[in-house]
Amino acid sequence: MTATTSPGNRAPEGTVKERSKGRALGAFKGRGGGRVPVTVRFAAGPVGFALRLRVLLTCVVLLALAFAALIASLAMGDYELPWSDVVTGLFNAGPEDAELVVHELRLPRALVAIMVGFALGLAGAVFQAVTRNPLAGPDIVGITAGAGAGAVVAILAGGVGTGVSATYGPVPLGALVGAVTTGLIVYFLAFRQGTITGYGFVLVGIAANGMLVAFTRWALARVDIDAATRATAWLTGSLENRDYTQVRWMALGLLLLVPPLVALVRPYRMLQFGDDIATGLGVPTRAARTALLLVGTCLAALATACAGPVVFVALAAPQIARGLAGTAEIPLFAAGFAGAVVVGGADLLARTAFPETVPVGIVTGLIGAPYLLWFLGRANKVGRGG
């Protein structure tokens, strides 16, 4: 049975979907001044995709910088290693002391730093894209604070001992429960008239963040000094004493969360240009937004569980990636790679640039706070306050 449209009921030539496509294509020209960007196309049989050349180059450069930060982290520290010993030590073909330093002391921490930064960059890109607000990072809207509160409850309940990671399991679970609960509350409180606005989402999130920080401080004030010390050290955002337990947690989490994010790339891109355009192009906006925010929340919870609250990375990495790629939208995986570079580089500075090793969260805070002030000032000048 074939459906037909009578002349009296036929839609005009410029249908909503066609007009939406036109507006979307105009928006996708971004900062190129109307020029068509160079595109690289990949195809394997009936399946294929296209990627802008500049975005591809940005990803390659950021990946190279992340790898350089990883190798530098293996070579530099209190016990300096020659680059040749680092390479041979990675393949268990170097001196015994080099293999010990590389595999047991530095490699787990460096891998966790790179993966935590990657997860935070992806989470920040998702939140900023879905809400269309560059300030809607998980550490601003309370997601990181929720994960931190849940993980602190797990720590105070005996979820992790002093320097021993054999009982590490309850901490990611507590962080996940805290982050998802906070995300759901913020989402439903900010939901108005079938959608959410970036401004309302940020305001509700800031309020939730304040309440969760107050709860965490109250919880720390009611426990013994040893438990409070462990939790406080974790709350600074530290990669100290990280081992392969955290590496496995991060790797497993990314393996579970990245594929759904890849499947949601199209609605991720469309939602950045508004609900009207996304709906006109056939995107179920409410379901797509909910799914993206859930994945982003889980990514932020995963990173927070493994490293504590590493602030400002999720806020800055998407904007760094967009600036390098020169696009109007936030390139998703470039933002993840930018986060990996930021956390990997910050951890290297935390270990080598100070008389004593400091938590990586302090370094990212020292870098991120001036960045936030600069960004707010720039947004006010151009009239983009969110």
Side-chain angles (χ1 to χ4, degrees):
M1 181 175 181
T2 305
T4 60
T5 305
S6 63
N9 295 328
R10 183 175 298 156
E13 292 185 3
T15 62
V16 173
K17 190 169 184 178
E18 290 170 348
R19 291 196 299 270
S20 298
K21 283 183 178 180
R23 291 197 298 270
L25 289 173
F28 271 117
K29 290 181 179 179
R31 303 174 184 177
R35 294 174 297 175
V36 177
V38 179
T39 302
V40 180
R41 299 184 182 276
F42 302 88
V47 179
F49 64 94
L51 190 65
R52 295 185 185 183
L53 179 61
R54 183 167 171 179
V55 174
L56 179 62
L57 292 177
T58 298
C59 290
V60 171
V61 170
L62 290 171
L63 266 175
L65 290 174
F67 182 74
L70 175 68
I71 298 299
S73 295
L74 300 181
M76 300 173 66
D78 293 335
Y79 182 71
E80 298 284 344
L81 288 177
W83 295 99
S84 58
D85 286 355
V86 171
V87 175
T88 55
L90 280 172
F91 296 98
N92 295 317
E96 186 175 345
D97 56 345
E99 292 181 15
L100 174 65
V101 170
V102 169
H103 283 285
E104 299 300 326
L105 301 180
R106 294 180 182 171
L107 184 59
R109 176 172 179 154
L111 288 174
V112 171
I114 295 297
M115 289 190 288
V116 163
F118 182 67
L120 289 175
L122 291 179
V126 167
F127 276 88
Q128 292 180 21
V130 168
T131 63
R132 303 179 66 198
N133 190 319
L135 295 179
D139 45 354
I140 300 294
V141 300
I143 305 301
T144 301
V152 164
V153 169
I155 292 173
L156 299 182
V160 66
T162 53
V164 180
S165 58
T167 55
Y168 186 72
V171 178
L173 179 61
L176 180 62
V177 171
V180 172
T181 302
T182 303
L184 289 174
I185 292 173
V186 171
Y187 180 83
F188 286 113
L189 289 178
F191 193 84
R192 289 290 183 274
Q193 298 178 349
T195 187
I196 61 173
T197 63
Y199 184 74
F201 191 82
V202 169
L203 284 181
V204 174
I206 289 174
N209 185 79
M211 289 188 292
L212 289 164
V213 169
F215 167 79
T216 302
R217 291 177 178 173
W218 172 81
L220 293 176
R222 295 182 63 86
V223 297
D224 63 87
I225 189 65
D226 291 335
T229 300
R230 291 199 303 272
T232 301
W234 182 86
L235 282 170
T236 58
S238 176
L239 293 170
E240 195 72 27
N241 298 323
R242 292 301 181 264
D243 59 24
Y244 287 104
T245 300
Q246 287 84 9
V247 173
R248 286 190 289 270
W249 272 106
M250 283 299 306
L252 176 62
L254 290 174
L255 284 174
L256 292 175
L257 293 172
V258 170
L261 197 56
V262 172
L264 292 166
V265 163
R266 183 175 180 270
Y268 164 84
R269 298 184 69 194
M270 296 299 105
L271 284 171
Q272 295 184 60
F273 302 103
D275 285 7
D276 291 340
I277 291 177
T279 302
L281 293 174
V283 176
T285 55
R286 185 180 300 184
R289 181 180 287 109
T290 302
L292 282 165
L293 287 176
L294 180 61
V295 175
T297 297
C298 292
L299 284 166
L302 176 70
T304 304
C306 288
V310 182
V311 296
F312 291 115
V313 176
L315 181 71
Q319 300 304 317
I320 293 172
R322 182 163 68 173
L324 293 174
T327 57
E329 77 277 9
I330 299 172
L332 179 61
F333 288 97
F337 299 143
V341 172
V342 170
V343 178
D347 184 54
L348 180 61
L349 289 175
R351 291 196 303 107
T352 60
F354 299 90
E356 295 183 0
T357 301
V358 300
V360 66
I362 292 178
V363 177
T364 59
L366 290 173
I367 299 172
Y371 167 82
L372 179 59
L373 293 175
W374 169 82
F375 185 83
L376 289 173
R378 178 174 174 269
N380 287 335
K381 284 183 179 179
V382 298
R384 291 190 296 110

